[in-house]
Amino acid sequence: MRKCGGSIGGSPADRMGGMELRELNIGCFGGGTGLPSLLGGLKSNPWLTLNAVVTMFDSGGSSGQLKDELGVLPPGDVLKCALALARNEGEARRVLLARLPTLEHHEKLGGHTGGNLLLSMMEQYSGDFLAAVDGLRGLLGCRGRVWPVTIERASICAEYQDGSLSEGEVEVDAEQLRGHQVKRLWLAPDASIHPTVADAIRGFDAVIIGPGSFFTSLMPPVLVRGVKEALAEVRGPVILIANLLTEGRGMSGFTAADAARWIEKAIGRPVDVVIANSEGPSPEVLARYAVEHKTPLEIGDLDSECQLVLGQFWRKDIARHDRRRLSFAVWSVLTDRLLRANPHSSRTSTLVV
């Protein structure tokens, strides 16, 4: 049986076919640059309590280096989400995303962001990554919670259509760019969700997945053991925000419907709503991305019971969802699915936001 958002029974709004507003507890899954952008747009909505459930399998850059050298969990994705939820996001980003110069006798510190070093130091001091993240949240005055999906060390592994294999976030991304199509994705070793995070997920009114690099930011969190079971207890809708572009030759022909099927297989329940872009930028901008073998993500053949919500979210030359428009689209879906007495039943909605 499909689980999707319903209405508040027994209230005057329910009896009169209206709406009764209440605070909604929302879980946002992903990582990279997509999840912080979504959080930054949603955090100004006073009716939303935000929770970022963040991928923990970064193997490149400053995060990967700190993981290898200090034995800490990769801090980068968690840091970016905390900054997006910070009371003063601009100032916090300016200070904590600045990279340290190479210093004499301290060469290993060079190139790392101040925020990555701070979070790693807090983890080593407390001995508990969840406590370190909560401490950073308090320091930044975050409007919402940031949950690392697991505190167990693991790597993303992929098998491709030609039978070849790769391990690590950076390597999986690189193989896609080279034209290898992902056939299977898993974590090695298996990683389990932290019980505190599982409890938090069970309390969500709805779940949002995306946007972000599909196989290295969106899929890994839902592959963690225990996430599927926690999501089964979420009564509200699962909402997938489709990416604007494919991600290299290995995703040629990949669609939003394919993304929904991958997610559904991992979580064991349907994707109820897909939010997708309806209009691209100028041909000149598209041509620039085409050189990198990145093309607009097509909708594809969605399940007949999955609601498609369309809007123009690509507003500038860079391929990034417009924060404000996306936040309004998400709020429209949430009010329709969770707050209206008679939820909208049409499969396709075209939003002008």
Side-chain angles (χ1 to χ4, degrees), residues 79 96 113-123 132 136 139:
L79 172 68
L96 294 181
T113 66
N116 279 354
L117 289 171
L118 175 63
L119 188 52
S120 297
M121 181 187 71
M122 293 171 74
E123 178 191 356
L136 180 66
L139 187 67

Side-chain angles (χ1 to χ4, degrees), residues 18 41 44 88 240-241 253 255 262 277 312 314-315 320 324 341 345 347:
S44 61
N88 189 340
L240 173 63
I241 300 176
T255 66
W262 273 86
N277 184 56
Q312 187 181 0
W314 191 346
R315 300 282 292 169
R320 188 167 296 167
R324 190 163 181 266
S345 60
R347 180 179 173 222

Side-chain angles (χ1 to χ4, degrees), residues 195-218:
T196 303
V197 182
D199 287 342
I201 291 174
R202 294 187 190 101
F204 294 163
D205 290 307
V207 167
I208 303 169
I209 301 173
S213 297
F214 185 74
F215 288 111
T216 55
S217 289
L218 305 191

Side-chain angles (χ1 to χ4, degrees), residues 284-304:
E284 291 76 19
V285 172
L286 291 178
R288 189 172 70 242
Y289 281 105
V291 172
E292 304 173 21
H293 303 282
K294 297 177 180 179
T295 58
L297 188 73
E298 301 293 335
I299 303 299
D301 186 17
L302 290 171
D303 182 273
S304 61

Side-chain angles (χ1 to χ4, degrees), residues 1-286:
M1 180 181 294
R2 287 177 60 86
K3 295 183 178 181
C4 60
S7 57
I8 306 171
S11 70
D14 183 46
R15 293 191 297 272
M16 298 176 66
M19 178 192 299
E20 183 174 328
L21 291 172
R22 62 183 173 93
E23 286 192 30
L24 300 176
N25 189 31
I26 305 301
C28 304
F29 285 64
T33 59
L35 180 55
S37 181
L38 173 68
L39 295 170
L42 292 176
K43 73 176 182 181
S44 61
N45 190 325
W47 296 101
L48 297 181
T49 299
L50 297 177
N51 298 266
V53 182
V54 186
T55 184
M56 291 299 297
F57 310 107
D58 192 352
S59 64
S62 172
S63 288
Q65 190 176 347
L66 289 170
K67 181 178 72 171
D68 294 340
E69 292 181 354
L70 300 181
V72 296
L73 289 163
D77 288 297
V78 165
L79 172 68
K80 291 172 187 172
C81 289
L83 292 174
L85 292 171
R87 180 173 53 246
N88 189 340
E89 180 183 356
E91 185 66 14
R93 286 177 61 85
R94 187 184 69 81
V95 173
L96 294 181
L97 291 184
R99 295 189 180 273
L100 273 66
T102 300
L103 303 173
E104 188 177 358
H105 308 305
H106 299 281
E107 292 88 354
K108 288 187 177 181
L109 296 180
H112 291 298
T113 66
N116 279 354
L117 289 171
L118 175 63
L119 188 52
S120 297
M121 181 187 71
M122 293 171 74
E123 178 191 356
Q124 291 199 313
Y125 177 77
S126 67
D128 182 342
F129 191 70
L130 279 181
V133 173
D134 217 38
L136 180 66
R137 171 179 171 266
L139 187 67
L140 295 175
C142 291
R143 190 180 181 278
R145 300 294 298 265
V146 180
W147 303 102
V149 68
T150 183
I151 58 171
E152 297 177 10
R153 289 165 177 78
S155 296
I156 306 167
C157 300
E159 178 185 5
Y160 303 94
Q161 291 293 346
D162 63 359
S164 61
L165 305 173
S166 70
E167 179 177 342
E169 182 189 73
V170 173
E171 291 75 12
V172 172
D173 274 336
E175 290 302 317
Q176 282 189 98
L177 291 173
R178 294 188 189 107
H180 289 87
Q181 187 176 2
V182 176
K183 177 182 177 181
R184 186 167 64 97
L185 202 69
W186 70 97
L187 301 176
D190 263 348
S192 296
I193 191 170
H194 191 283
T196 303
V197 182
D199 287 342
I201 291 174
R202 294 187 190 101
F204 294 163
D205 290 307
V207 167
I208 303 169
I209 301 173
S213 297
F214 185 74
F215 288 111
T216 55
S217 289
L218 305 191
M219 281 297 297
V222 299
L223 294 176
V224 171
R225 188 191 299 118
V227 169
K228 175 180 177 180
E229 290 75 15
L231 287 174
E233 298 189 39
V234 176
R235 296 183 62 188
V238 174
I239 303 164
L240 173 63
I241 300 176
N243 288 332
L244 301 176
L245 293 168
T246 60
E247 302 166 54
R249 289 181 293 176
M251 292 187 77
S252 177
F254 193 83
T255 66
D258 292 326
R261 283 188 281 271
W262 273 86
I263 295 291
E264 288 173 344
K265 184 177 180 181
I267 67 176
R269 60 176 288 179
V271 169
D272 299 290
V273 182
V274 171
I275 298 176
N277 184 56
S278 61
E279 187 175 336
S282 69
E284 291 76 19
V285 172
L286 291 178

